[in-house]
PDB file of all heavy atoms in Angstrom:
ATOM      1  N   LEU A 130      -5.127  -3.789  -3.054  1.00 98.00           N
ATOM      2  CA  LEU A 130      -6.233  -2.834  -3.162  1.00 98.00           C
ATOM      3  C   LEU A 130      -7.390  -3.584  -3.830  1.00 98.00           C
ATOM      4  O   LEU A 130      -7.276  -4.029  -4.974  1.00 98.00           O
ATOM      5  CB  LEU A 130      -5.820  -1.620  -4.002  1.00 98.00           C
ATOM      6  CG  LEU A 130      -4.529  -0.898  -3.567  1.00 98.00           C
ATOM      7  CD1 LEU A 130      -4.281   0.323  -4.440  1.00 98.00           C
ATOM      8  CD2 LEU A 130      -4.584  -0.510  -2.096  1.00 98.00           C
ATOM      9  N   ASP A 133      -8.861  -3.286  -7.472  1.00 97.00           N
ATOM     10  CA  ASP A 133      -8.254  -3.953  -8.615  1.00 97.00           C
ATOM     11  C   ASP A 133      -8.535  -5.447  -8.503  1.00 97.00           C
ATOM     12  O   ASP A 133      -7.933  -6.142  -7.690  1.00 97.00           O
ATOM     13  CB  ASP A 133      -6.732  -3.697  -8.660  1.00 97.00           C
ATOM     14  CG  ASP A 133      -6.409  -2.331  -9.222  1.00 97.00           C
ATOM     15  OD1 ASP A 133      -7.026  -1.944 -10.235  1.00 97.00           O
ATOM     16  OD2 ASP A 133      -5.549  -1.637  -8.656  1.00 97.00           O
ATOM     17  N   TYR A 170      -2.805   7.057 -12.217  1.00 96.00           N
ATOM     18  CA  TYR A 170      -1.987   6.002 -11.594  1.00 96.00           C
ATOM     19  C   TYR A 170      -0.637   6.507 -11.080  1.00 96.00           C
ATOM     20  O   TYR A 170      -0.163   7.553 -11.498  1.00 96.00           O
ATOM     21  CB  TYR A 170      -1.665   4.921 -12.641  1.00 96.00           C
ATOM     22  CG  TYR A 170      -2.852   4.215 -13.206  1.00 96.00           C
ATOM     23  CD1 TYR A 170      -3.438   4.655 -14.397  1.00 96.00           C
ATOM     24  CD2 TYR A 170      -3.392   3.101 -12.579  1.00 96.00           C
ATOM     25  CE1 TYR A 170      -4.537   3.992 -14.936  1.00 96.00           C
ATOM     26  CE2 TYR A 170      -4.484   2.429 -13.111  1.00 96.00           C
ATOM     27  CZ  TYR A 170      -5.051   2.886 -14.289  1.00 96.00           C
ATOM     28  OH  TYR A 170      -6.130   2.226 -14.817  1.00 96.00           O
ATOM     29  N   GLY A 171      -0.004   5.653 -10.290  1.00 97.00           N
ATOM     30  CA  GLY A 171       1.411   5.808 -10.032  1.00 97.00           C
ATOM     31  C   GLY A 171       2.138   5.278 -11.273  1.00 97.00           C
ATOM     32  O   GLY A 171       1.807   4.207 -11.777  1.00 97.00           O
ATOM     33  N   GLU A 190       3.550   9.866  -8.870  1.00 96.00           N
ATOM     34  CA  GLU A 190       2.126   9.645  -8.630  1.00 96.00           C
ATOM     35  C   GLU A 190       1.291  10.541  -9.540  1.00 96.00           C
ATOM     36  O   GLU A 190       1.435  11.757  -9.527  1.00 96.00           O
ATOM     37  CB  GLU A 190       1.800   9.904  -7.154  1.00 96.00           C
ATOM     38  CG  GLU A 190       0.338   9.711  -6.772  1.00 96.00           C
ATOM     39  CD  GLU A 190      -0.166   8.268  -6.854  1.00 96.00           C
ATOM     40  OE1 GLU A 190       0.633   7.339  -7.085  1.00 96.00           O
ATOM     41  OE2 GLU A 190      -1.382   8.077  -6.690  1.00 96.00           O
ATOM     42  N   LYS A 191       0.472   9.904 -10.339  1.00 96.00           N
ATOM     43  CA  LYS A 191      -0.536  10.563 -11.186  1.00 96.00           C
ATOM     44  C   LYS A 191       0.011  11.737 -12.008  1.00 96.00           C
ATOM     45  O   LYS A 191      -0.505  12.874 -11.915  1.00 96.00           O
ATOM     46  CB  LYS A 191      -1.721  10.998 -10.337  1.00 96.00           C
ATOM     47  CG  LYS A 191      -2.332   9.823  -9.547  1.00 96.00           C
ATOM     48  CD  LYS A 191      -3.730  10.073  -9.069  1.00 96.00           C
ATOM     49  CE  LYS A 191      -4.369   8.815  -8.538  1.00 96.00           C
ATOM     50  NZ  LYS A 191      -4.203   8.511  -7.155  1.00 96.00           N
ATOM     51  N   ILE A 203       1.169   1.519 -11.991  1.00 98.00           N
ATOM     52  CA  ILE A 203       1.072   0.620 -10.837  1.00 98.00           C
ATOM     53  C   ILE A 203      -0.391   0.240 -10.645  1.00 98.00           C
ATOM     54  O   ILE A 203      -1.263   1.102 -10.673  1.00 98.00           O
ATOM     55  CB  ILE A 203       1.555   1.339  -9.552  1.00 98.00           C
ATOM     56  CG1 ILE A 203       2.995   1.801  -9.701  1.00 98.00           C
ATOM     57  CG2 ILE A 203       1.368   0.452  -8.333  1.00 98.00           C
ATOM     58  CD1 ILE A 203       3.493   2.649  -8.533  1.00 98.00           C
ATOM     59  N   THR A 231       3.399   5.809  -3.422  1.00 97.00           N
ATOM     60  CA  THR A 231       4.287   5.948  -4.587  1.00 97.00           C
ATOM     61  C   THR A 231       5.492   6.823  -4.232  1.00 97.00           C
ATOM     62  O   THR A 231       6.633   6.493  -4.575  1.00 97.00           O
ATOM     63  CB  THR A 231       3.510   6.578  -5.764  1.00 97.00           C
ATOM     64  OG1 THR A 231       2.332   5.797  -5.979  1.00 97.00           O
ATOM     65  CG2 THR A 231       4.332   6.608  -7.034  1.00 97.00           C
TER      66      THR A 231
HETATM   67  C1  LIG B   1      -3.679   4.224  -5.909  1.00 51.30           C
HETATM   68  C2  LIG B   1      -2.189   4.581  -5.966  1.00 51.30           C
HETATM   69  C3  LIG B   1      -1.715   4.621  -7.408  1.00 51.30           C
HETATM   70  C4  LIG B   1      -2.018   3.298  -8.087  1.00 51.30           C
HETATM   71  C5  LIG B   1      -3.515   2.949  -7.951  1.00 51.30           C
HETATM   72  C6  LIG B   1      -3.796   1.549  -8.455  1.00 51.30           C
HETATM   73  O1  LIG B   1      -4.407   5.289  -6.484  1.00 51.30           O
HETATM   74  O2  LIG B   1      -1.994   5.831  -5.337  1.00 51.30           O
HETATM   75  O3  LIG B   1      -0.324   4.859  -7.441  1.00 51.30           O
HETATM   76  O4  LIG B   1      -1.655   3.367  -9.447  1.00 51.30           O
HETATM   77  O5  LIG B   1      -3.945   3.016  -6.590  1.00 51.30           O
HETATM   78  O6  LIG B   1      -5.163   1.240  -8.457  1.00 51.30           O
HETATM   79  P1  LIG B   1      -6.008   5.465  -6.289  1.00 51.30           P
HETATM   80  O7  LIG B   1      -6.650   4.560  -7.311  1.00 51.30           O
HETATM   81  O8  LIG B   1      -6.321   5.044  -4.896  1.00 51.30           O
HETATM   82  O9  LIG B   1      -6.289   6.896  -6.559  1.00 51.30           O
END
Side-chain angles (χ1 to χ4, degrees):
L130 307 183
D133 281 316
Y170 298 94
E190 180 67 7
K191 304 199 169 89
I203 301 174
T231 307

